[in-house]
Amino acid sequence: MGNLIRAQLYQLKKSSLIVVVFICVLIIECSTFAGEVLYGGFNGQIIQITAGSYLAGSGSEIIFWALVFGIVLTGQVCGGDFPDQTANYELMSGHLRKEVYYSRAVISLIGGLAGTTVCMSVPLILATAVCGWGNELDFPGVLIRLLLCQFPFFRIICEFVFLTYVVKNPYVIMAAGFFTYILGGFIPEYAPGCDSVLLGVTNLIKLMTFPEWSAYIMVDLKTISVYETRLGMGDILETIIGSLVIGGLFLWFGYQYFKKDDLK
């Protein structure tokens, strides 16, 4: 399977589509931050922008744009070879179906998780460098939440690995990635209480939603917003265990389907 993994890595490095999507996601996220700095606020509120306030106001958008990249990469890695039947040739050359399937799944997970991490980190690093972190969010609490996001990312990528092998069309999967981004934007607006760990999307919303309260500063005579970053142990365990179990099941479902598929 090592040779197949290396072959997938080589194809991934040569994929101009993945590079373009990665750059576009970074540009969009950084442009969102630049717009908030220029206009001095978000969601109609005029505030002094810091990295913390930026994350509190746009955390879900950062996360779901990063997820778009992970899903596009998964669609390309797992589904890009169906049109030219590369998987058929690999099987004919003596590779097991398990090797063909899991080599692509592994690259999707490694590349997807690494790419989403970078896509999340770059705008926050830029915001911190330009405006400072601020006092709105407790950084250790935010770091825990960002690390926990990797588990729903893992789960969702596993689900899209399965879907890619069923659909066999990378472009349909890529379009589904943008639909997931749109869904992530609509849920907080039209179903504000829908932040369960039951679904990967709502789990991400839960992790990137910070309860807010206001504090009045007597010295400066101004009101500031402070956000809660702590998570209960139940939320943490549900995120980790639920993501690993459901993600593992979808990987297994995908292999069971691929094992019996005629690849036509």
Side-chain angles (χ1 to χ4, degrees), residues 104-118:
R104 287 166 171 77
V106 167
I107 294 301
S108 296
L109 285 168
I110 294 176
L113 293 177
T116 53
T117 298
V118 174

Side-chain angles (χ1 to χ4, degrees), residues 176-189:
F178 287 97
F179 172 77
T180 303
Y181 166 75
I182 295 172
L183 181 65
F186 274 118
I187 288 177
E189 183 175 356

Side-chain angles (χ1 to χ4, degrees), residues 8-9 12 69-79 101-116 153-154 157-158 160-161 164-165 251:
Q8 289 300 317
L9 284 172
L12 193 58
F69 171 77
I71 294 174
V72 169
L73 183 142
T74 300
Q76 181 67 17
V77 171
C78 293
Y101 174 80
Y102 281 107
S103 63
R104 287 166 171 77
V106 167
I107 294 301
S108 296
L109 285 168
I110 294 176
L113 293 177
T116 53
F153 281 153
F154 167 84
I157 289 173
C158 289
F160 274 90
V161 168
T164 304
Y165 278 97
L251 276 183

Side-chain angles (χ1 to χ4, degrees), residues 88-101:
N88 297 62
Y89 298 134
E90 291 174 349
L91 293 171
M92 290 170 60
S93 65
H95 292 287
L96 301 175
R97 289 211 174 206
K98 182 182 295 186
E99 295 175 332
V100 173
Y101 174 80

Side-chain angles (χ1 to χ4, degrees), residues 30-51:
C30 293
S31 298
T32 301
F33 165 68
E36 291 182 2
V37 171
L38 289 175
Y39 290 102
F42 54 83
N43 297 333
Q45 299 177 346
I46 304 301
I47 63 172
Q48 180 180 356
I49 294 295
T50 64

Side-chain angles (χ1 to χ4, degrees), residues 29 59-67 120 146 149 153 204 208:
E29 291 187 328
S60 293
E61 186 169 356
I62 295 170
I63 293 298
F64 283 105
W65 270 119
L67 181 59
M120 287 191 305
L146 292 175
C149 284
F153 281 153
L204 287 171
M208 285 295 105

Side-chain angles (χ1 to χ4, degrees), residues 112-166:
L113 293 177
T116 53
T117 298
V118 174
C119 289
M120 287 191 305
S121 302
V122 168
L124 293 179
I125 292 172
L126 175 64
T128 304
V130 173
C131 300
W133 177 256
N135 300 315
E136 293 85 359
L137 292 175
D138 176 57
F139 181 75
V142 169
L143 184 59
I144 291 173
R145 286 178 179 247
L146 292 175
L147 291 174
L148 285 173
C149 284
Q150 297 301 312
F151 291 95
F153 281 153
F154 167 84
R155 167 185 175 173
I156 293 171
I157 289 173
C158 289
E159 291 169 352
F160 274 90
V161 168
F162 166 74
L163 289 175
T164 304
Y165 278 97
V166 173

Side-chain angles (χ1 to χ4, degrees), residues 215-224:
Y216 188 71
I217 307 299
M218 295 296 295
V219 176
D220 296 330
L221 299 179
K222 66 179 181 180
T223 301
I224 64 170

